[in-house]
Amino acid sequence: MNRRISVAIDGPAGAGKSSISKVVAKQLGYLYIDTGAMYRGITWALLDQEIEISDTAAVKAALDHIELQLVPVEDGLRVLVNNRDVSKEIRTQYVTSHVSQVAAQKAVRTKLVEMQRSMASVGGVILDGRDIGSVVLPDAELKVYLTASVETRGHRRWLELKDKEDITLEEVCRTVADRDTMDMERKESPLICVDDAVVVETDHLSIEETVQKLTELIRNAEKGERHG
Ligand code: DC
């Protein structure tokens, strides 16, 4: 039987991390942990409680009263905040446009990184995010940096949103580019591509092709093989 490993998938917004990781995890019987959904859950709670998110002391104090749960279900994960299912709410443009500011705060990261490490400790896990290979699981047996151009990523996000929200492609591309800047230039755990990550560019890959590539990388890493 193959060894069950820890897999870190990092990369910018809209690179396909969660769509791909969800499918791969299901196929391999791994647990999938969408860490972006956790930052989104906290952001939703802060906005819902009308906490001023630029006030780091108020955010820190509010964290003690936010109970976050990720519940694996057939088609992915449900995100519960204080027992309320907010899986849909966390994907709105309103939450998206505030989440980078929340994710840049140390107190938020400390709380969530601790939860993520504890969830990952069972092994056989795929975590996706921005700081998984660099901070959360620096010893992960496989690290992947999944990326694509701003145009490709903006277009993908717009396709997901256009029937639900009144938003143009240009607006979505701008949000993607702004989030790249905030995620890559922040002081706390910025998005970086670590030296030991395999870089996978998805501009010209379909979901199926990317799933196949990732599955191959995981199978090889389970056998202890280095990627090449
Ligand atoms: O992957 P996503 O778009 O759902 O992530 C939402 C935000 O959370 C994104 O702007 C960056 C932040 N994030 C982070 O800082 N660290 C992570 N491990 C995951 C997400």
Side-chain angles (χ1 to χ4, degrees):
M1 210 179 110
N2 285 337
R3 202 160 58 101
R4 289 162 62 78
I5 61 167
S6 297
V7 182
I9 314 243
D10 289 301
K17 298 183 301 293
S18 36
S19 329
I20 307 294
S21 306
K22 194 162 51 178
V23 177
V24 173
K26 195 170 178 192
Q27 283 180 3
L28 299 181
Y30 272 45
L31 174 66
Y32 166 53
I33 300 170
D34 176 354
T35 65
M38 299 170 74
Y39 289 94
R40 286 171 179 272
I42 298 285
T43 304
W44 178 86
L46 294 169
L47 293 169
D48 184 60
Q49 292 173 22
E50 298 181 9
I51 308 286
E52 179 50 66
I53 60 173
S54 59
D55 181 345
T56 51
V59 168
K60 188 170 183 217
L63 289 177
D64 289 339
H65 309 287
I66 300 175
E67 197 212 338
L68 188 71
Q69 282 171 281
L70 286 194
V71 183
V73 288
E74 178 60 21
D75 60 341
L77 284 174
R78 292 276 171 276
V79 178
L80 305 189
V81 171
N82 296 337
N83 292 322
R84 171 168 168 189
D85 184 346
V86 293
S87 312
K88 280 205 180 73
E89 289 81 347
I90 62 168
R91 302 289 163 198
T92 58
Q93 181 68 7
Y94 184 51
V95 169
T96 301
S97 60
H98 290 87
V99 64
S100 290
Q101 203 183 348
V102 172
Q105 299 186 29
K106 191 172 180 165
V108 175
R109 303 205 72 83
T110 304
K111 174 178 168 112
L112 294 190
V113 168
E114 194 185 305
M115 272 182 78
Q116 290 154 13
R117 286 190 181 138
S118 149
M119 289 189 285
S121 62
V122 292
V125 288
I126 301 179
L127 272 73
D128 85 0
R130 304 294 189 287
D131 60 338
I132 310 302
S134 57
V135 175
V136 181
L137 302 176
D139 297 327
E141 286 90 343
L142 175 66
K143 299 179 186 179
V144 176
Y145 190 81
L146 208 65
T147 187
S149 67
V150 170
E151 292 72 27
T152 302
R153 292 184 285 119
H155 189 252
R156 287 179 188 153
R157 276 279 148 106
W158 178 71
L159 288 178
E160 284 168 12
L161 282 174
K162 73 180 174 53
D163 294 333
K164 297 180 212 134
E165 295 188 38
D166 181 19
I167 190 154
T168 65
L169 175 60
E170 288 67 32
E171 281 168 324
V172 179
C173 285
R174 210 174 319 121
T175 308
V176 166
D178 288 348
R179 288 174 64 208
D180 282 0
T181 308
M182 287 190 75
D183 294 343
M184 290 175 187
E185 295 183 359
R186 69 181 180 216
K187 193 165 137 267
E188 300 295 333
S189 313
L191 168 64
I192 52 165
C193 177
V194 290
D195 288 344
D196 51 347
V198 187
V199 178
V200 177
E201 306 233 5
T202 67
D203 286 274
H204 304 292
L205 293 180
S206 65
I207 293 193
E208 293 73 27
E209 287 167 330
T210 316
V211 164
Q212 200 183 344
K213 169 104 195 141
L214 209 68
T215 306
E216 249 171 57
L217 287 168
I218 296 176
R219 285 300 189 210
N220 290 339
E222 284 173 338
K223 291 184 221 138
E225 287 171 20
R226 295 278 314 153
H227 43 80

